[in-house]
Amino acid sequence: MQATRSSAPAKVILFGEHFVVEGQPAIAAAISLRAHVTVEPADTDGILVYSKNLGLLEEYRFAERGAWSGKMLSIAIAAYTAMESLGRKSGVKVTVDSEIPPGSGMGSSAAVAVATTHATFRAFGEEPDLKEVSRIAFEAEKVVHGKPSGIDNTVATYGGVIAYRKGEGFIPLKAELNGVRLVLADSGVPRNTGEMVKRVLELKNTYPSVLEPLYHAAGRLVVEAARRLEEGDYESLGRLMNVNHGFLSAIGVSTLELEKLVYTARRAGALGSKLTGAGGGGFIVALVTAEKEKEVVEALRQLSPRIFSVEISSEGVRKEPL
Amino acid sequence: MQATRSSAPAKVILFGEHFVVEGQPAIAAAISLRAHVTVEPADTDGILVYSKNLGLLEEYRFAERGAWSGKMLSIAIAAYTAMESLGRKSGVKVTVDSEIPPGSGMGSSAAVAVATTHATFRAFGEEPDLKEVSRIAFEAEKVVHGKPSGIDNTVATYGGVIAYRKGEGFIPLKAELNGVRLVLADSGVPRNTGEMVKRVLELKNTYPSVLEPLYHAAGRLVVEAARRLEEGDYESLGRLMNVNHGFLSAIGVSTLELEKLVYTARRAGALGSKLTGAGGGGFIVALVTAEKEKEVVEALRQLSPRIFSVEISSEGVRKEPL
């Protein structure tokens, strides 16, 4: 067994959040923020998990497997399940060092689980099978998050841009996005996924005659966006992000803070902008050309406590030098 | 001939603006801001028009009828056409005193034309026929505004809440709206009707597969809103205003200033809020209970140079004491 290091990317939802819950398609992309995980042999009869970000060390002992609990449980489970899948078991230390803001809707925990699984396979001298990496990360996510959609671990594993629909799996899109960047700005208000999903479904059930054609429009928008992505038609992508944002405003998941960010980004020259993820708080995403990046970031900095300017990342999980 | 005074109400679009251009229904309401017009005999061979608001006096001489031009042309034409319809003609002075902000999308010019026509009929001792009043005001509007939809003169004449659809005429709704008010707040940016209508049609023609189901949803929303209006279900009305605003954001007619007002009104306790009219600037409208009115107005005052708190007015054009 040897020390190894792997990394996996964060994701951002570009189109279709919320509407995906009721069977419409959505599009998510891997971005250039990554979670790095080192796995190395350790003198313990279990799994040590250390987070550089949290400054936290936890020990998960093999003998107590049935009773594991802790803040970093999903990481321990990813490493453990990878070992189980190899039929190997020995003491390891998993060290996490992530650029991805946790609790932001960017799939931080899935990226960590994917990188952990990947590094664990490699630590035992096995070439990781990506399908197996994604599956194990999904299992680890399930233990902690209840009902993950599977999009986070898929994007973290394969990278690039992926279309998906509930019950139908994932389709990689041939999207390069050269010369454009994504600017992510935090509204400073925590998102509230559960509450937002509940609120949207209540609205839909109360006014079905209005919301059903809107869901239909949202599905059509994702199909159109997928086509424009593959054509490299960034201007259309931006315009469709704006339309998508209006749909999210219509279903009640936007806020004053999110609107300020979304419209400020557009005014500063973004090709398009929208809230991303569950809403009620959380982040917006703006599509910007390289030339306009600085202006958009500067304008948002007045309003946002946290901004990331990233690229879409074609690379999923990968090995890293130690 | 005798001096008379009439008044007619402003209108606000509650649901369906923009989507109405492509054949979807819309709902407009008369509000408690009124244009007052006095018509009296004058020692002139024509029509004197005096605006108290503008501090402006213009003379339109009968002998130069074919060559009339002026800032208040539509008022002169309304008075002239009313006289023509009666087969009477004599020198009059028309004095306008309006509470309705001009150029705000609230139908200021139609309300003035309706009140002018009404007062002119009465000045000649005739009981005004409302259908004829509305028709004459529409003709006067056409001369100045090109292609009016007919909603402004209809609401100014009949008052109340009116549903309409292009080519299908107007249906009065049995809506009382007791115990709720409309708060109108100016974004401080002039609206730009022509540019906005053009932009929306371009979007629709570029992405028809996305926009067509949205227009469908917008039509359904108006039908639902009409039903809830007649039931007095104010909570639903507010929620549907919010949904409608998202649709308007989706088609690109909102702005940073409008979004701040819309979301601030909701946060301060409005039942719902949306931009009203063409967008790109102009006003928002918020539906508020009497209890929340003060809070909403106070919150908006931080952001808006001009706020009106009004009621829906069941009364259209009416005679007034001199």
Side-chain angles (χ1 to χ4, degrees):
Chain A
M1 200 199 161
Q2 61 190 337
T4 56
R5 187 172 166 84
S6 295
S7 74
K11 74 112 192 355
V12 62
I13 301 181
L14 294 178
F15 296 99
E17 54 272 90
H18 278 295
F19 302 101
V20 78
V21 174
E22 294 283 290
Q24 298 297 337
I27 296 173
I31 57 176
S32 54
L33 296 175
R34 301 184 77 89
H36 293 257
V37 173
T38 304
V39 174
E40 59 198 319
D43 187 17
T44 167
D45 193 29
I47 300 168
L48 289 171
V49 183
Y50 174 61
S51 162
K52 287 194 178 177
N53 305 77
L54 303 174
L56 188 67
L57 179 72
E58 290 178 347
E59 182 171 31
Y60 295 86
R61 298 176 62 84
F62 293 134
E64 293 156 15
R65 171 69 189 92
W68 281 1
S69 74
K71 287 207 166 181
M72 300 183 288
L73 174 60
S74 65
I75 303 170
I77 288 177
Y80 185 85
T81 312
M83 287 192 270
E84 237 181 7
S85 144
L86 293 170
R88 308 273 292 271
K89 200 158 74 179
S90 67
V92 295
K93 181 177 181 190
V94 178
T95 302
V96 177
D97 182 7
S98 177
E99 302 157 12
I100 309 168
S104 64
M106 292 187 208
S108 165
S109 69
V112 171
V114 164
T116 300
T117 306
H118 192 265
T120 304
F121 275 116
R122 290 177 51 236
F124 286 94
E126 291 284 330
E127 188 57 33
D129 172 66
L130 291 187
K131 210 167 158 186
E132 184 71 353
V133 169
S134 185
R135 184 193 68 77
I136 290 173
F138 183 66
E139 294 302 320
E141 285 274 278
K142 266 205 284 196
V143 172
V144 187
H145 293 291
K147 285 186 191 173
S149 68
I151 185 62
D152 288 14
N153 52 289
T154 303
V155 170
T157 302
Y158 297 100
V161 185
I162 288 174
Y164 62 109
R165 191 198 290 261
K166 217 164 123 174
E168 287 187 16
F170 304 93
I171 303 165
L173 299 177
K174 285 183 282 300
E176 294 288 336
L177 278 91
N178 296 317
V180 287
R181 297 181 69 85
L182 298 174
V183 176
L184 299 160
D186 190 348
S187 67
V189 180
R191 84 212 151 87
N192 188 339
T193 307
E195 175 60 28
M196 289 297 126
V197 169
K198 211 177 99 186
R199 189 191 290 190
V200 171
L201 293 182
E202 195 273 327
L203 188 76
K204 184 155 186 276
N205 291 333
T206 309
Y207 312 106
S209 70
V210 183
L211 275 293
E212 273 160 21
L214 179 65
Y215 274 67
H216 187 55
R220 291 279 191 85
L221 186 144
V222 171
V223 172
E224 182 78 26
R227 188 165 76 81
R228 302 285 179 164
L229 256 167
E230 297 205 324
E231 291 172 0
D233 178 357
Y234 305 143
E235 197 196 316
S236 280
L237 274 187
R239 296 180 75 185
L240 291 167
M241 285 170 73
N242 294 350
V243 176
N244 196 156
H245 179 73
F247 292 1
L248 291 165
S249 171
I251 59 173
V253 299
S254 191
T255 66
L256 179 57
E257 290 76 17
L258 289 166
E259 292 298 332
K260 283 186 192 171
L261 293 171
V262 161
Y263 278 83
T264 297
R266 293 183 200 170
R267 189 160 287 177
L271 292 168
S273 58
K274 60 186 278 293
L275 75 84
T276 177
F283 279 71
I284 69 135
V285 57
L287 182 70
V288 300
T289 59
E291 301 81 58
K292 290 282 183 187
E293 184 207 359
K294 207 179 151 193
E295 266 171 85
V296 173
V297 169
E298 283 309 311
L300 292 173
R301 213 183 288 286
Q302 314 298 317
L303 300 167
S304 170
R306 221 170 19 161
I307 295 172
F308 300 93
S309 175
V310 302
E311 289 171 342
I312 289 190
S313 172
S314 57
E315 276 197 277
V317 65
R318 70 182 180 210
K319 61 181 175 186
E320 299 280 354
L322 278 168
Chain B
M1 196 198 166
Q2 61 188 335
T4 56
R5 186 173 167 84
S6 295
S7 74
K11 74 113 195 351
V12 63
I13 301 180
L14 294 178
F15 297 98
E17 54 274 89
H18 279 292
F19 303 100
V20 78
V21 174
E22 295 284 288
Q24 297 297 338
I27 297 172
I31 57 175
S32 54
L33 296 175
R34 301 183 78 88
H36 293 258
V37 174
T38 304
V39 173
E40 59 198 317
D43 186 16
T44 169
D45 193 28
I47 300 167
L48 289 169
V49 183
Y50 174 61
S51 163
K52 287 194 176 177
N53 305 76
L54 302 175
L56 187 66
L57 179 71
E58 290 177 345
E59 184 172 29
Y60 295 86
R61 298 174 62 83
F62 292 134
E64 294 156 14
R65 172 68 189 91
W68 281 1
S69 74
K71 286 208 166 182
M72 300 183 289
L73 175 58
S74 66
I75 303 171
I77 288 178
Y80 185 85
T81 311
M83 286 192 270
E84 238 181 9
S85 143
L86 292 169
R88 308 273 292 272
K89 198 157 77 180
S90 67
V92 295
K93 181 179 181 189
V94 179
T95 302
V96 177
D97 182 7
S98 178
E99 302 158 11
I100 310 167
S104 65
M106 293 187 207
S108 164
S109 69
V112 171
V114 163
T116 300
T117 307
H118 192 264
T120 305
F121 275 117
R122 291 176 51 235
F124 287 94
E126 292 285 330
E127 187 56 34
D129 172 68
L130 290 189
K131 211 168 157 185
E132 185 70 353
V133 168
S134 185
R135 185 192 67 78
I136 291 172
F138 183 67
E139 293 302 319
E141 285 272 278
K142 266 206 283 198
V143 172
V144 188
H145 292 291
K147 284 185 190 172
S149 69
I151 185 63
D152 288 13
N153 53 288
T154 303
V155 170
T157 302
Y158 297 101
V161 185
I162 289 174
Y164 62 110
R165 191 199 290 259
K166 217 163 122 176
E168 288 189 14
F170 303 92
I171 303 164
L173 299 176
K174 287 184 280 301
E176 296 286 337
L177 277 92
N178 296 316
V180 287
R181 297 181 69 85
L182 299 174
V183 176
L184 298 159
D186 190 348
S187 66
V189 180
R191 83 211 152 90
N192 189 340
T193 308
E195 174 62 27
M196 289 297 126
V197 169
K198 213 177 97 189
R199 187 190 293 189
V200 171
L201 293 182
E202 196 271 327
L203 187 76
K204 184 155 186 277
N205 291 333
T206 309
Y207 311 105
S209 70
V210 183
L211 275 293
E212 273 159 22
L214 180 65
Y215 274 67
H216 187 55
R220 292 279 191 83
L221 186 145
V222 171
V223 172
E224 182 78 26
R227 188 165 75 82
R228 303 285 180 163
L229 256 166
E230 298 205 324
E231 291 171 1
D233 178 356
Y234 305 143
E235 198 197 316
S236 279
L237 274 186
R239 296 180 76 185
L240 291 167
M241 286 171 73
N242 294 350
V243 176
N244 196 157
H245 178 74
F247 292 1
L248 291 164
S249 171
I251 60 173
V253 300
S254 191
T255 66
L256 178 58
E257 291 77 16
L258 289 166
E259 292 299 331
K260 281 186 194 172
L261 292 171
V262 161
Y263 278 83
T264 297
R266 293 183 200 170
R267 190 162 285 179
L271 293 168
S273 59
K274 61 185 279 294
L275 74 85
T276 177
F283 279 72
I284 69 135
V285 56
L287 182 70
V288 300
T289 58
E291 301 80 59
K292 290 282 180 186
E293 184 207 0
K294 208 180 152 191
E295 266 171 86
V296 172
V297 168
E298 284 308 311
L300 292 173
R301 213 183 287 287
Q302 314 299 318
L303 300 167
S304 171
R306 224 173 14 164
I307 295 171
F308 301 92
S309 175
V310 302
E311 289 172 342
I312 288 191
S313 171
S314 56
E315 275 198 279
V317 65
R318 69 183 180 210
K319 62 183 176 183
E320 297 281 353
L322 279 167

